[in-house]
């Protein structure tokens, strides 16, 4: 019997214990001496000036490149083929001399990426499942993991919260079985001072109990995927249930938040919503400041804008390519994450005073867009649904050129007028020639990793 199956059959008290034991194990990995070290460093570097940032990155990049050349077979080969030496790569600009790294390249021969100075037995194995099923397995160090968590906690500290504060996590993990028919629909991870609610159990039947649980427990903040928190809030709105114990801040991640989701979440919680951009490979990160701009966490890695186009206002739009400073055991150098971003121009000044570069937009996965008959690529559709409160959730799917399907989970009051309104919106905002068909569904299935995809392209 595997661990998940065993967990499913445990009584609630032992499931709580299992969650806490998992927590204590993770705590040892994430929050050891390295966490304290990086928290201290990140606190000191949060407000440094441009010259100091450049100095820091040059030093970290040189160390990373030398280490990769000396100890990682793939990079040694890449350098030798191009007649490059570590000294040739000293700045972000120099990185262009190296090729882009993709998941496919790593998957072909992952052993070439492992630093010869490390042994697998001392490393943490990480498996990611991409939304398109392109999985990746790699290794990381405890130090890198702690560095990542210190970056995430710095984001939280910008909004007044610290490690140890009581919080609620809306998780994609099935910590509560869907077959459970009475409360508690939550579990506790005492190690993190955290309660967990699984997305799978948030339904019309459980919502009253979950809401009372939250009202009885004053959580300082919430964390979770926007789509899960949105589902929760939208059920409260539908059933006109009042949330009395409101979080001050909600920390979002893993997915983009759409305007229509934001409206509902704010209506229910009145909370400040803030987001950080990261990914499992841990090779880069950007966290919002108090003015809701995503500053690149320059201490953690370099985010390059590749295949860029300059927008009218001087911003640059392109693929996000990362070089991570944290993981020396399995370095990611010029790794293509699969997301698109918009970089603010160099003279963009954020009101918070931080000068670390700003990512004005993170547009999500490169392959998630619809192509119009006019050849435009459209990545976001949320503004179509923004003024319509008769829609709970929507997903746009393109299977062939010239047409799209919109999957819709209706709310009360949805009529043929709503459909006409949406058709008009598509004509006005997207394309007058795009054919649209509607599918009405009870729910929109999540991807294998629990993520919601608002736009899905099945064009090949
Ligand atoms: Zn800022």
């Amino acid at each position: 019997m595997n661990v998940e199956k065993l967990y499913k059959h445990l009584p609630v008290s032992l499931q709580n214990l299992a969650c806490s034991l998992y927590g204590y194990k993770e705590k040892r990995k994430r929050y050891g001496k390295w966490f304290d070290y990086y928290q201290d460093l990140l606190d000191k570097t949060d407000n440094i000036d441009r010259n100091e940032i450049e100095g820091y990155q040059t030093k970290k990049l040189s160390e990373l490149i030398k280490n990769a050349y000396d100890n990682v077979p793939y990079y040694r080969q890449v350098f030798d083929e191009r007649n490059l030496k570590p000294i040739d790569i000293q700045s972000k600009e120099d990185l262009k001399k190296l090729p882009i790294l993709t998941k496919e390249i790593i998957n072909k021969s992952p052993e070439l990426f492992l630093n010869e100075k490390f042994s697998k037995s001392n490393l943490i194995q990480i498996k990611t499942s991409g939304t398109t099923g392109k999985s990746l397995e790699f290794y990381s160090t405890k130090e890198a993991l702690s560095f990542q968590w210190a970056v995430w906690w710095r984001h939280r500290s910008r909004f007044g919260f610290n490690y140890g504060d009581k919080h609620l996590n809306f998780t994609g993990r099935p910590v509560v079985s869907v077959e459970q028919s009475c409360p508690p629909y939550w579990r506790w991870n005492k190690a993190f001072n955290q309660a967990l609610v699984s997305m799978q159990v948030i339904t019309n039947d459980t919502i009253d109990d979950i809401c009372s649980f939250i009202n009885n427990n004053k959580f300082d903040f919430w964390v979770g995927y926007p789509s899960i928190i949105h589902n929760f809030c939208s059920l409260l709105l539908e059933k006109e249930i009042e949330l009395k114990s409101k979080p001050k801040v909600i920390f979002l991640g893993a997915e983009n938040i759409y305007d229509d989701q934001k409206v509902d979440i704010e209506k229910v919680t009145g909370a400040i919503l803030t987001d950080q951009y990261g990914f499992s490979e841990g090779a880069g990160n950007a966290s919002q400041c108090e003015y809701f701009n995503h500053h690149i966490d320059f201490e953690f890695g370099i985010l390059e804008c590749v295949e860029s186009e300059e927008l009218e206002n001087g911003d640059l739009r392109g693929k996000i390519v990362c070089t991570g400073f944290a993981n020396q055991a399995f370095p990611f150098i010029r790794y293509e994450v699969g997301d698109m971003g918009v970089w603010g121009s160099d003279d963009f000044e954020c009101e918070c005073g931080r000068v670390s570069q700003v990512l004005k937009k993170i547009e999500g996965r490169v392959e998630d867009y619809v192509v119009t008959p006019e050849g435009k690529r459209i990545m976001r559709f949320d503004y179509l649904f923004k003024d319509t409160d008769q829609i709970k959730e929507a997903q746009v799917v393109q299977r062939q050129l010239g047409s799209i399907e919109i999957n819709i989970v209706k709310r009360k009051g949805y009529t043929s007028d709503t459909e006409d309104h949406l058709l008009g919106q598509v004509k006005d905002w997207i394309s007058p020639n795009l054919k649209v068909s509607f599918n009405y569904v009870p729910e929109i299935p999540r991807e294998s990793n629990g993520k919601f995809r608002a736009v899905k392209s099945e064009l090949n």
Side-chain angles (χ1 to χ4, degrees), residues 289-291 293 295 350-354 358:
C289 66
E290 305 82 339
Y291 291 86
N293 283 312
H295 287 273
C350 182
E351 284 180 75
C352 76
R354 291 179 188 86
V358 162

Side-chain angles (χ1 to χ4, degrees), residues 258-261 370 372 378-391 394-397 404-408 414 417-431 434 436 438 454-455:
Y258 298 96
D259 288 343
D260 50 331
Q261 295 176 327
V370 159
T372 67
I378 312 284
M379 301 189 75
R380 293 191 66 140
F381 288 82
D382 44 323
Y383 50 94
L384 300 184
F385 310 116
K386 204 174 134 189
D387 303 323
T388 318
D389 57 10
Q390 296 99 343
I391 295 173
Q395 179 182 52
V396 176
V397 183
I404 55 170
E405 291 172 26
I406 308 183
N407 296 327
I408 286 179
Y414 191 103
D417 286 350
T418 323
E419 204 175 89
D420 290 344
H421 166 74
L422 289 176
L423 286 173
Q425 293 276 85
V426 173
K427 284 218 160 21
D428 290 349
W429 296 100
I430 310 287
S431 156
L434 190 65
V436 181
F438 294 90
V455 180

Side-chain angles (χ1 to χ4, degrees), residues 44 115 118 130 133 151 174 204 211 289 318 321 361 420 427-428 445:
K44 286 184 186 130
N115 186 322
F118 288 81
V151 167
N204 245 323
C211 186
C289 66
V321 165
K361 255 197 227 162
D420 290 344
K427 284 218 160 21
D428 290 349

